[in-house]
Amino acid sequence: MHLGLCHGALVQQWLGCVRARVCAPAVRAATAPCTAHSQWRSSRRLTTQTTCQQQAKQKEARNTATLPLDGITVVDLTRVLAGPYATMMLADQGADVIKIERPGLGDETRQWGPPFAGDQSTYFLSVNRNKRSIAIDLTDPEGLAVVHRLIATADVLVENYFPGKLDQLGLGWDTVREINPRLVYASISGYGSTGPYAGRGGYDVVASAVGGLMHITGPAGGEPCKVGVAMTDLSTGLYLHAAVLAALLSRERTGVGMRIECSLLETQVASLVNVASAYLNAGAESTRLGTAHASIVPYQAFSTADGHIVVAAMNDAQFSKLCSVMDLGGFKDDPLYATNPARVANRDALLAVLQARFSDQTTAEWGAALEDSGLAFGPINTIEQVFEDPQVLHRNMVAEMEHATAGTVRVPAMAVKYTPSGEGHQSPNDVPPSAPPRLGQHTRDLLADLGFTLQETERLERRGVVSQATPAGDLP
């Protein structure tokens, strides 16, 4: 099949099929997923290039898995963080996520480093597990035709291109909903598709500045700071993930898909929550307080003899308990500190006393003293200490995968624990993840699923329309 010649006729047949609600045999044959594709969707198969014993065990475990999003196919046109984070969560839940990347370049984060694990960027590895990669030139008509074929039988498309760019490429909402009316089309941008900032580029650090997060982050009296990880990006990914699930549920009732728009700015504004409410309802402008809280005292970090500890006394009873643990019993009944409004009003004087007392002992000693108090507390851990923490270890918060070129890859595991109530259902937490794909690792597999012969695929490769990763067995 020469896709470049037949695509126009195929799409016209498909559109006629949709409008008439009758499936033309030629279209059905050309767009139906093959058996191998369906098997992968239910098993989230491992790369076939690597043959280590651990991967064989992972594949065997996955073959019997039944996951919440089995049977859902996601066309992933996202790069960097917010989009890939959202699609990784869908993949963790069983969706077949097909990551479409530029031949020769791929997702920008593939080059973000050091550090690298082997030849793989650790940044890219962090948000791309359980996906398949196909490298396609979207600017080539034959490449566009391949993507249209993928969309025809997909359930979800996620993209984070500059607003209007996919319309120019022939992949905008108005085009693809004609190809597949049941498609959930989810977009991420910096500022949304309309408004005075719609034409601006958007990244996490800029959106967190415009959206107020940097204004309230940093030391009291100091310069604005960005958060240590891209929380605006990550929050946008979380919003989009939930929105996609809601749209899929809606489709079960209505039979049609919908368009979803998320933007970094809107996510950040919505995430101001109580800070926004204080301004909108009481005219209170917030500022930077370091680790402290504007409305609760004490609720912050304190220096100890050898590090730092964070303590939160959320109400008067908890403050009284803290005073008892710290041998400061006279403060709990002092009218200057007995109630939270009084403690907020007399913040500086109280914090000076607490800080002097915390400095007397080590972080571990204070931890031991607070352990059975019922108070919320914890040390400020380094990243190394995070992954040595007994609670983190107990909750299995590290996922391991075998990668063809990076070796054993370790990343944070899913934050949600699933426990199915019925027999024969498996928790996503129990299914070994597959490693993030190499650029174009699954190009030939996916084209074969669409009905391409090897000769047709090789012709597209020679033209630079698609590219396939070097087989693992051919690597030095």
Side-chain angles (χ1 to χ4, degrees):
M1 175 176 58
H2 190 171
L3 187 59
L5 297 177
C6 73
H7 173 69
L10 176 63
V11 170
Q12 290 305 312
Q13 284 182 299
W14 173 266
L15 294 178
C17 160
V18 168
R19 294 183 183 116
R21 298 297 191 269
V22 176
C23 191
V27 179
R28 183 169 62 249
T31 59
C34 72
T35 301
H37 187 197
S38 299
Q39 289 174 342
W40 190 95
R41 288 163 67 171
S42 64
S43 67
R44 197 192 284 156
R45 71 184 177 209
L46 288 170
T47 173
T48 59
Q49 286 86 353
T50 51
T51 58
C52 73
Q53 186 177 14
Q54 183 174 352
Q55 280 194 312
K57 291 180 180 178
Q58 290 174 335
K59 183 175 182 180
E60 181 180 358
R62 215 166 14 251
N63 283 339
T64 60
T66 302
L67 301 178
L69 294 184
D70 275 348
I72 297 297
T73 298
V74 179
V75 173
D76 183 2
L77 285 163
T78 68
R79 299 97 60 213
V80 188
L81 184 56
Y85 189 60
T87 57
M88 181 182 71
M89 287 186 284
L90 295 170
D92 285 344
Q93 294 165 333
D96 177 7
V97 174
I98 301 170
K99 186 176 181 70
I100 297 177
E101 303 186 73
R102 294 173 294 175
L105 295 173
D107 190 315
E108 293 94 314
T109 61
R110 289 185 180 274
Q111 287 78 46
W112 285 9
F116 292 92
D119 62 351
Q120 299 292 307
S121 160
T122 60
Y123 197 115
F124 178 84
L125 295 175
S126 70
V127 289
N128 285 288
R129 64 174 175 254
N130 295 326
K131 302 177 184 180
R132 296 198 281 175
S133 171
I134 181 170
I136 307 176
D137 181 359
L138 301 182
T139 65
D140 187 283
E142 288 192 290
L144 177 62
V146 172
V147 179
H148 280 179
R149 290 276 296 282
L150 290 169
I151 289 170
T153 54
D155 300 282
V156 180
L157 182 150
V158 185
E159 62 90 12
N160 63 349
Y161 278 72
F162 198 83
K165 181 62 175 178
L166 287 188
D167 294 285
Q168 297 171 10
L169 292 174
L171 290 168
W173 163 241
D174 289 335
T175 299
V176 302
R177 67 174 171 170
E178 289 292 304
I179 297 172
N180 183 353
R182 288 176 55 81
L183 188 76
V184 174
Y185 189 102
S187 299
I188 293 176
S189 63
Y191 300 97
S193 61
T194 61
Y197 298 168
R200 293 185 184 180
Y203 288 97
D204 173 273
V205 68
V206 178
S208 68
V210 178
L213 180 61
M214 288 179 64
H215 173 69
I216 57 175
T217 304
E223 292 296 310
C225 294
K226 80 178 188 70
V227 181
V229 293
M231 285 307 304
T232 305
D233 266 347
L234 296 174
S235 298
T236 303
L238 288 166
Y239 268 109
L240 184 126
H241 169 255
V244 165
L245 297 180
L248 288 172
L249 182 61
S250 172
R251 190 185 70 175
E252 293 302 303
R253 294 195 291 261
T254 66
V256 296
M258 66 173 64
R259 185 179 184 184
I260 295 166
E261 280 194 73
C262 292
S263 77
L264 303 184
L265 178 62
E266 288 165 290
T267 290
Q268 184 49 64
V269 172
S271 298
L272 290 174
V273 287
N274 60 297
V275 170
S277 182
Y279 171 75
L280 294 172
N281 297 295
E285 176 64 78
S286 297
T287 187
R288 293 176 289 286
L289 292 170
T291 64
H293 194 289
S295 303
I296 307 168
V297 176
Y299 187 96
Q300 66 182 79
F302 296 92
S303 299
T304 65
D306 65 346
H308 297 85
I309 191 168
V310 174
V311 175
M314 301 291 290
N315 54 51
D316 298 339
Q318 290 182 359
F319 177 70
S320 177
K321 173 64 73 173
L322 179 63
C323 289
S324 297
V325 171
M326 300 185 72
D327 296 326
L328 297 172
F331 284 80
K332 62 184 179 183
D333 297 319
D334 189 323
L336 293 176
Y337 312 117
T339 66
N340 185 68
R343 292 192 293 277
V344 172
N346 297 285
R347 174 193 301 267
D348 292 343
L350 175 59
L351 292 180
V353 172
L354 295 177
Q355 179 56 75
R357 182 71 182 94
F358 274 115
S359 296
D360 290 341
Q361 297 176 234
T362 66
T363 301
E365 288 171 338
W366 280 118
L370 291 163
E371 183 63 44
D372 297 321
S373 67
L375 296 170
F377 70 94
I380 297 181
N381 285 331
T382 65
I383 305 306
E384 180 181 12
Q385 290 168 335
V386 168
F387 290 105
E388 293 175 347
D389 189 280
Q391 185 67 19
V392 174
L393 294 172
H394 177 80
R395 297 294 287 178
N396 298 315
M397 278 306 299
V398 175
E400 279 195 5
M401 301 157 286
E402 292 300 321
H403 191 280
T405 62
T408 300
V409 171
R410 302 171 74 232
V411 296
M414 285 187 288
V416 178
K417 302 295 188 286
Y418 295 84
T419 304
S421 61
E423 295 294 329
H425 298 281
Q426 193 164 12
S427 166
N429 307 102
D430 297 330
V431 180
S434 60
R438 290 176 293 128
L439 174 59
Q441 179 177 333
H442 305 95
T443 296
R444 290 190 174 186
D445 288 345
L446 286 161
L447 290 177
D449 290 352
L450 291 173
F452 284 83
T453 67
L454 179 59
Q455 291 74 22
E456 289 166 342
T457 297
E458 288 175 340
R459 182 187 64 79
L460 293 177
E461 290 174 352
R462 287 192 298 272
R463 287 199 58 240
V465 177
V466 301
S467 66
Q468 167 75 21
T470 303
D474 295 343
L475 293 170

